[in-house]
Amino acid sequence: VVSKNSNIVKKVDKSRNVNNNIRLNKGANVDALYQDYDEEIIENKHISNSKQNQNKVVDKQKKKKRAFAVLKFTFFIAIIIAIGYLMFNLETFNLSDISVNGNTKYDQNTIIKESGLKIGENVFMQLLTSRVKKLDLAYVSSYKYKYNFPNSVTIEVHERYPMYIALDKNTSKYYKIDNEGFLLEECDLSQREDELIVEGFAFGKDTKTGDKINDVYISKLEVYNKLKELLDEKQIVTNITKVNFENSLTTLTLDGKLRVVFANNTDLDYKVTLLKEIIQKNGGITNGTINMSIDKPVYSNIE
């Protein structure tokens, strides 16, 4: 019995020791976990503090950049204001010389007077405000003012060239016209150089130089230009001395003696080819009329 009891006591002690070891180990593990958790909290605090410090540095840098940008912009504006003040107030910039380039029809004084530029007045005040007038001259197609440092200006002009002398059948006056249809000046036939004489236009009593003829007349001139191009293409060697646009027809006078009548803008290529054949059959350009506005063109020696 004693032996059995002693064995039982030994088993109980052993069990107690095992439980105590379990308790001790479990306590050690819990302590280790608490220690790891504390270390993680401390590490996170360090990271957070580091980020906050970095953000503070970035914010300071941004503020410095903004302040510098504002300072630079203010300095730039101050310079602009200073330059503007000097430009408009220093006598150095008072206009002392005006020259003109590209003018053939008008003399220099006429163009300068029309421009409104004044010697002795501030050049920038004149060029940058409404002080400078539009060059309202019929022969001037375009112009520009070129500033030359410190106080001179060059007026560069491009002039129109007269292509036609047109008779206004309402007033019986002749006008020189350029290729865009602008009336350049009133004239008479004695002033003709190499311009083409145009008949059949009616401009009206309010017509003045510098005006542009209406689109109907411009389209008629386009028909003439097409015919001239075809005559050159078909090698019909001739000089067109007059064109008439009466009665919805286009009548060309060749070499001052042969009248050729076309119907508007209809089959021009074919009719010019046929015209060449007719001229060749009749031994060249002679006095008379060739009516190309009908189906079967005919030649008549009646002018």
Side-chain angles (χ1 to χ4, degrees), residues 54-80:
Q54 289 177 356
N55 290 337
K56 288 180 180 179
V57 171
V58 171
D59 289 340
K60 286 182 179 180
Q61 291 176 345
K62 287 182 178 179
K63 288 179 180 179
K64 287 182 179 180
K65 287 182 179 180
R66 284 196 293 267
F68 180 73
V70 171
L71 181 63
K72 187 167 66 172
F73 177 76
T74 303
F75 181 70
F76 175 76
I77 294 298
I79 290 177
I80 295 297

Side-chain angles (χ1 to χ4, degrees), residues 162-200:
M163 297 289 293
Y164 314 99
I165 290 183
L167 174 65
D168 180 0
K169 61 183 181 181
N170 286 340
T171 63
S172 299
K173 294 179 179 179
Y174 286 95
Y175 291 90
K176 290 193 175 187
I177 302 177
D178 78 335
N179 63 325
E180 292 181 297
F182 283 94
L183 299 174
L184 303 179
E185 64 175 311
E186 185 181 336
C187 64
D188 56 53
L189 288 181
S190 64
Q191 295 175 282
R192 178 182 179 232
E193 296 178 6
D194 57 353
E195 299 94 347
L196 174 71
I197 298 174
V198 178
E199 296 178 346

Side-chain angles (χ1 to χ4, degrees), residues 92-104:
T92 304
F93 299 112
N94 288 347
L95 186 60
S96 64
D97 181 67
I98 306 171
S99 58
V100 181
N101 288 337
N103 57 311
T104 57

Side-chain angles (χ1 to χ4, degrees), residues 242-289:
K242 183 187 296 186
V243 58
N244 187 295
F245 297 111
E246 299 278 1
N247 303 320
S248 299
L249 300 172
T250 300
T251 302
L252 305 182
T253 301
L254 309 182
D255 290 345
K257 51 187 177 182
L258 178 63
R259 296 174 70 251
V260 183
V261 182
F262 293 92
N264 297 322
N265 198 17
T266 306
D267 299 327
L268 295 183
D269 187 275
Y270 166 74
K271 290 184 177 180
V272 171
T273 300
L274 192 57
L275 171 65
K276 183 177 181 180
E277 295 177 3
I278 295 172
I279 290 175
Q280 289 175 342
K281 287 181 180 179
N282 286 278
I285 296 175
T286 58
N287 292 324
T289 300

